[in-house]
Amino acid sequence: MFTAMSERKITILGAGVTGLSCALALLKRTRCQSIEILEQETLDSLPLKPGHGLLLMQNGVKALQALGMDGLLSNSTVIKRAVFRDNKGIPIRVDELDSVYCVTRSEIIAALKSALPGNCLRLNQHVERVIVGSGTSVHERQI
């Protein structure tokens, strides 16, 4: 028997950019209301992991737009040109860029978290194995 997405319970492992984006997409596209994100970090250790600066290319911008999150780019730096240099600093290639932004991982994560219901993220969770399936088809994986 098929279970409608809105009735399923979904668990996502990891509250990084991918996990949070996946949760937000599922909430917006499937109307699934039972999504749980398990993250191994604690409330104390999260601020210690700010992440790196990222160049968000057009596909990333389109993904944020599809999630309704492109507003987070309003304070980000637009990168219009990339200059590639050899080991002596001499330019060897120049590329003009369109819709490329410099953002930090922590900015993206904060924006995605703020768009999700507060009760779906569970910190300090350690997953040892995952069992996927129903009925006679069950698969287990050690993590």
Side-chain angles (χ1 to χ4, degrees):
M1 179 178 195
F2 179 74
T3 304
M5 282 298 291
S6 60
E7 298 172 15
R8 292 184 184 197
K9 180 180 180 185
I10 297 172
T11 301
I12 297 171
L13 305 182
V17 173
T18 302
L20 296 171
S21 296
C22 183
L24 187 56
L26 285 167
L27 282 172
K28 288 181 175 273
R29 303 282 181 162
T30 67
R31 298 193 175 115
C32 179
Q33 295 304 309
S34 183
I35 294 179
E36 171 180 68
I37 306 165
L38 305 180
E39 171 58 49
Q40 67 182 350
E41 297 297 333
T42 65
L43 193 56
D44 293 331
S45 67
L46 275 177
L48 302 176
K49 296 197 171 198
H52 303 285
L54 304 170
L55 285 182
L56 193 64
M57 305 303 273
Q58 289 108 345
N59 285 345
V61 173
K62 288 177 184 175
L64 287 177
Q65 289 169 339
L67 293 172
M69 300 301 300
D70 52 320
L72 81 90
L73 298 174
S74 62
N75 292 326
S76 298
T77 303
V78 178
I79 306 297
K80 297 188 182 275
R81 187 171 75 149
V83 179
F84 299 90
R85 299 176 186 271
D86 67 12
N87 62 346
K88 295 178 184 168
I90 299 170
I92 56 175
R93 179 177 166 181
V94 177
D95 286 344
E96 299 301 320
L97 303 174
D98 183 36
S99 298
V100 175
Y101 293 84
C102 182
V103 297
T104 63
R105 181 178 182 272
S106 57
E107 286 176 304
I108 295 173
I109 288 176
L112 291 168
K113 278 175 38 179
S114 71
L116 291 166
N119 62 348
C120 69
L121 178 59
R122 293 182 48 209
L123 298 174
N124 200 22
Q125 302 297 305
H126 300 278
V127 177
E128 295 179 9
R129 66 186 180 139
V130 175
I131 300 173
V132 180
S134 61
T136 59
S137 177
V138 175
H139 304 281
E140 181 175 340
R141 287 241 166 117
Q142 292 295 114
I143 294 181

